[in-house]
Amino acid sequence: MSWGIELWDQYDTIASHTQKGIDFCERFTHFLKDRCAIELKYASELKKLVKNYQPKKKEEEEYQQYSWAVKFWEVLKELHDLAGQHEVIAENTQGQVIKDVQILIGEMKQQRRKDLQDGAKVQDTLKDSLAKLDKSRKNYEKAFKMAEKATDDYRKADADINLSRAEVEKTRNQMMIKNNQCDESKNEYAAQLQQTNQHQRDHYTQQMPAVFQQMQSMEENRINKIKSMVRQVADIERSVIPIINTCIDGMVKASDGISAEEDSKAVIDKFKSGFPIPEDIPFEDLSNASVIDTSNANGTPKNSLDSRKGTVSDKKRNKKDKKGGGGLFGIFSSSKATINKGEESKEDFSDLPPNQQRKALNKKIEEFKKEIARETAEREGMLKMKDVYVNNPALGDPNALEKKIEENALKIDSLQAEMRKFQGYLANMDGKPSPAGQRRSSLSDDSISQSSTNMEMSQTSIPGQPQIVPNEPEVYTEDWPEPPSDEEFEEERAVELRKKEDKKAIDDEDGDHVGEFDHPEGDFDEEGYPVIGTCRALYPYEAGNEGSVAMGEGEEMFVLEQDQGDGWTRVRKHDNSEGFVPTSYIQCHFYDQDEV
């Protein structure tokens, strides 16, 4: 279908229609801009909502062990990502569709202006031709009337007998002139008519259809572009739907991760004090005028009765409880205030309830393990670099790393000492001997200097022997024994109590005699370490500090205590002298390996 054929007489209508198409494009641009503004505002409001409900640092530390809180924070993260997808919609629409629409509007205005100018020229040409035709027709009509009048005058003169022959001839000549003028006007009119008809045929069959075709092509191009842009807007939104669905799936997954049972256990782990349930309050027989000791064997505070009375009647104690200083038996008061006051908390966390103290000590020990592992990895890297420098001095000076290696060794020794201290706190709390024993005090700070000395000795090549690092710190990660759980702790404590009761009963029967191996656990003196295996010296060693013993290569000795992670093993020589030797200098065989 062609506008030039079907709408040959609707030029002005088509011109108005194309202008409406341009107006629609501009309106479509405003629609897209408003849509982008809504998307950006929605994304901004969502992000603002997420920010307002993000946990503060204090809340995160307080609720991070609860699944309902952690999963809600995950939902907030997914919502933040979802908001970002709405921003993507707005950005892509602004950068692609709106830009294309604006380019299209500019092209259409320019094309329409050109087409209208071409149409106006064609119409002006036709109008000029019609004007000329009208003028020639009027000339012909005027000449015809004058010729017709001249003919009538001649006929009248010829019939009038009163006129002379000369007058009649004059009238006849005048008639001939007018008839010739009429014929000329007629011929001009005929020629102009033919020319005008040709112009009119060209106007309606060639020139104007060409203009209409250009305007039709422009309009169809506009419609196709609008179609493409509407689809592009839909594709932009469709492209983010998978990511939005992923965010929604993340929210669903977060909701599935909420566990009431696990959260209940977390509440127990967080707030369990570890104190035993108070026993019944004994009856006070006032008639005997005796004061009954209200303390009991399971650790109930001695002033429990006074505390109970204070919670009922004593206004001062009630006021103190409200301020966080009291509570029933002083047991159920929150330890939060103590935790928040870092200046008042003790190093061994003994100001916390037993269960909370154990958790705090385990956390501290884990921190030391991670720090030791990091420093050990750094030390290994420096030692490898030193070996490279030794083998290829052109790459660097190996002596430049000595100071750093020594500082690293001192830092590792310091961290291990701190970790043993907290392990000792934990062992004392659980009623077990310290893992370090009395050996740590005998070594004192000389182990640090010995560490660097042994390191230097290991760098010296011994014919037939590999180079070793005698005081190489070990990494305590996977092989380190896990601290006992609350249930294991209660069971071990019950077993210890039963053992003590059985031993007390035996001691009551046998008197005050204590056998050779009846020392309470953890009370061995320096001469009381049992032999747990044998060892053989791989390299000679000279004792360089207090608490260590010298040994010769190949010397056989007894093992009294295994390496506790500091690179030293306690041994007893055949001359009954005891002390510590570097673990990497000996080959050990333990008796418990034979029992397996």
Side-chain angles (χ1 to χ4, degrees):
M1 302 296 289
S2 174
W3 287 4
I5 298 175
E6 303 296 336
L7 303 175
W8 62 271
D9 57 344
Q10 300 295 325
Y11 174 76
D12 294 336
T13 303
I14 291 176
S16 176
H17 177 74
T18 53
Q19 179 61 43
K20 290 180 180 179
I22 295 176
D23 295 339
F24 174 80
C25 289
E26 292 178 345
R27 186 174 177 81
F28 184 60
T29 303
H30 295 318
F31 163 77
L32 293 177
K33 289 181 178 180
D34 292 343
R35 167 76 187 279
C36 292
I38 291 174
E39 293 288 351
L40 290 174
K41 184 176 180 181
Y42 179 58
S44 176
E45 291 296 327
L46 281 181
K47 289 188 175 182
K48 183 178 179 181
L49 177 67
V50 171
K51 182 178 180 181
N52 291 338
Y53 285 88
Q54 278 289 350
K56 298 180 177 59
K57 185 175 181 181
K58 181 180 179 182
E59 294 176 346
E60 188 171 359
E61 294 176 353
E62 184 175 0
Y63 299 115
Q64 62 183 352
Q65 64 268 40
Y66 301 127
S67 64
W68 52 266
V70 175
K71 298 304 178 182
F72 174 71
W73 299 336
E74 292 181 4
V75 169
L76 292 180
K77 293 179 181 178
E78 298 294 345
L79 187 61
H80 186 274
D81 295 340
L82 189 146
Q85 298 311 307
H86 288 279
E87 290 182 340
V88 170
I89 293 175
E91 292 172 357
N92 291 340
T93 303
Q94 288 176 341
Q96 300 175 14
V97 184
I98 294 179
K99 184 178 179 181
D100 293 342
V101 175
Q102 291 174 342
I103 293 175
L104 175 63
I105 292 174
E107 292 176 351
M108 285 190 62
K109 287 182 177 180
Q110 185 177 359
Q111 181 65 32
R112 181 176 178 274
R113 188 182 302 110
K114 179 178 178 298
D115 294 340
L116 292 178
Q117 289 176 353
D118 294 341
K121 289 180 180 180
V122 172
Q123 286 187 334
D124 290 341
T125 302
L126 181 61
K127 287 179 181 180
D128 291 341
S129 180
L130 291 173
K132 290 180 180 179
L133 176 63
D134 185 63
K135 183 178 179 180
S136 64
R137 185 183 64 79
K138 288 180 179 180
N139 291 335
Y140 168 63
E141 183 180 357
K142 182 178 179 182
F144 177 79
K145 288 180 179 181
M146 292 177 67
E148 194 175 43
K149 182 180 178 182
T151 302
D152 291 340
D153 291 341
Y154 170 71
R155 288 175 182 173
K156 289 179 181 180
D158 187 42
D160 190 357
I161 58 175
N162 296 319
L163 294 177
S164 63
R165 186 72 181 171
E167 290 178 347
V168 173
E169 190 65 25
K170 181 179 179 182
T171 303
R172 180 177 176 280
N173 291 336
Q174 188 69 27
M175 180 192 69
M176 294 298 293
I177 293 172
K178 294 298 181 181
N179 285 333
N180 290 335
Q181 290 178 353
C182 180
D183 291 339
E184 290 177 1
S185 298
K186 182 179 179 180
N187 292 334
E188 289 179 1
Y189 170 66
Q192 184 62 42
L193 179 62
Q194 185 178 3
Q195 185 179 0
T196 300
N197 288 333
Q198 183 64 39
H199 287 165
Q200 184 171 287
R201 283 193 298 271
D202 293 343
H203 176 84
Y204 289 111
T205 59
Q206 296 180 8
Q207 296 174 351
M208 285 307 296
V211 174
F212 284 148
Q213 185 61 39
Q214 291 177 1
M215 300 179 76
Q216 182 179 357
S217 299
M218 177 190 70
E219 181 66 10
E220 290 178 353
N221 179 61
R222 177 190 70 83
I223 296 173
N224 290 330
K225 287 289 185 67
I226 292 295
K227 175 184 176 181
S228 175
M229 292 170 186
V230 171
R231 181 180 293 274
Q232 191 174 5
V233 171
D235 291 339
I236 288 174
E237 189 157 1
R238 179 183 292 155
S239 65
V240 302
I241 288 178
I243 304 177
I244 293 177
N245 289 335
T246 302
C247 296
I248 296 174
D249 293 340
M251 296 179 186
V252 174
K253 184 178 179 181
S255 67
D256 295 337
I258 299 177
S259 173
E261 182 179 356
E262 294 298 328
D263 288 345
S264 297
K265 292 181 180 179
V267 173
I268 295 175
D269 293 339
K270 182 176 182 180
F271 298 108
K272 181 179 179 181
S273 66
F275 288 115
I277 299 176
E279 293 184 354
D280 294 342
I281 301 174
F283 175 74
E284 297 183 14
D285 190 356
L286 300 179
S287 61
N288 294 333
S290 61
V291 179
I292 301 176
D293 188 3
T294 60
S295 63
N296 49 58
N298 60 3
T300 304
K302 189 172 181 179
N303 60 345
S304 60
L305 184 59
D306 295 337
S307 299
R308 178 181 291 269
K309 290 179 180 179
T311 58
V312 177
S313 60
D314 190 7
K315 295 182 179 179
K316 293 183 178 180
R317 292 186 180 181
N318 280 337
K319 188 175 181 180
K320 182 179 180 181
D321 292 342
K322 291 179 181 179
K323 294 181 178 179
L328 185 59
F329 301 105
I331 295 176
F332 304 108
S333 60
S334 173
S335 60
K336 185 176 179 181
T338 306
I339 296 175
N340 291 337
K341 297 179 180 179
E343 301 82 11
E344 299 178 4
S345 60
K346 297 182 180 180
E347 183 183 34
D348 59 352
F349 305 105
S350 59
D351 53 331
L352 300 178
N355 197 65
Q356 304 301 323
Q357 181 185 7
R358 187 180 301 106
K359 288 177 61 177
L361 290 174
N362 286 329
K363 181 179 179 182
K364 198 74 175 178
I365 292 172
E366 288 299 325
E367 292 176 357
F368 281 121
K369 289 180 182 178
K370 292 179 181 179
E371 186 68 17
I372 291 174
R374 188 181 67 80
E375 294 294 333
T376 303
E378 183 178 347
R379 176 186 179 85
E380 291 176 354
M382 289 190 293
L383 290 175
K384 291 180 181 179
M385 186 180 297
K386 182 177 180 180
D387 292 339
V388 173
Y389 290 169
V390 170
N391 296 331
N392 192 351
L395 297 177
D397 183 11
N399 296 325
L401 296 175
E402 287 292 343
K403 185 176 181 180
K404 293 183 178 179
I405 295 175
E406 183 177 356
E407 292 176 354
N408 179 269
L410 295 176
K411 188 172 183 180
I412 292 177
D413 287 344
S414 176
L415 290 172
Q416 288 176 343
E418 288 293 321
M419 183 178 68
R420 287 194 297 270
K421 181 172 66 174
F422 281 90
Q423 288 174 338
Y425 293 152
L426 184 62
N428 293 335
M429 181 181 176
D430 294 340
K432 297 180 180 180
S434 172
Q438 298 176 358
R439 160 163 60 118
R440 315 307 166 201
S441 59
S442 63
L443 285 178
S444 68
D445 294 335
D446 295 335
S447 61
I448 299 176
S449 60
Q450 184 64 28
S451 172
S452 59
T453 303
N454 294 335
M455 180 188 64
E456 295 173 358
M457 292 174 60
S458 65
Q459 303 298 326
T460 306
S461 299
I462 302 175
Q465 296 178 356
Q467 293 187 2
I468 60 172
V469 181
N471 196 25
E472 180 69 23
E474 300 180 8
V475 179
Y476 299 97
T477 54
E478 297 180 359
D479 299 334
W480 194 269
E482 293 292 333
S485 62
D486 296 339
E487 293 78 4
E488 294 173 347
F489 170 70
E490 297 294 342
E491 293 177 1
E492 292 177 0
R493 185 173 183 181
V495 171
E496 292 293 333
L497 290 175
R498 286 196 298 270
K499 287 182 178 180
K500 290 181 179 180
E501 291 176 358
D502 295 342
K503 185 177 182 303
K504 183 177 180 181
I506 295 174
D507 291 342
D508 291 341
E509 294 178 1
D510 298 343
D512 297 333
H513 174 71
V514 179
E516 181 181 358
F517 299 102
D518 290 339
H519 294 286
E521 187 177 359
D523 293 336
F524 289 105
D525 53 10
E526 288 293 321
E527 301 297 332
Y529 282 95
V531 177
I532 61 175
T534 59
C535 65
R536 182 174 61 86
L538 300 176
Y539 310 105
Y541 172 71
E542 297 293 335
N545 57 358
E546 182 182 357
S548 61
V549 294
M551 62 181 180
E553 181 179 357
E555 183 177 356
E556 300 286 342
M557 296 170 290
F558 297 104
V559 178
L560 302 182
E561 185 179 0
Q562 296 187 38
D563 185 0
Q564 298 297 323
D566 55 359
W568 297 89
T569 300
R570 189 182 188 93
V571 299
R572 178 187 296 165
K573 302 179 68 173
H574 289 287
D575 59 358
N576 290 331
S577 60
E578 295 181 7
F580 294 95
V581 295
T583 304
S584 56
Y585 277 42
I586 59 176
Q587 181 179 6
C588 298
H589 175 77
F590 300 102
Y591 295 149
D592 56 1
Q593 297 177 353
D594 299 333
E595 297 175 0
V596 178

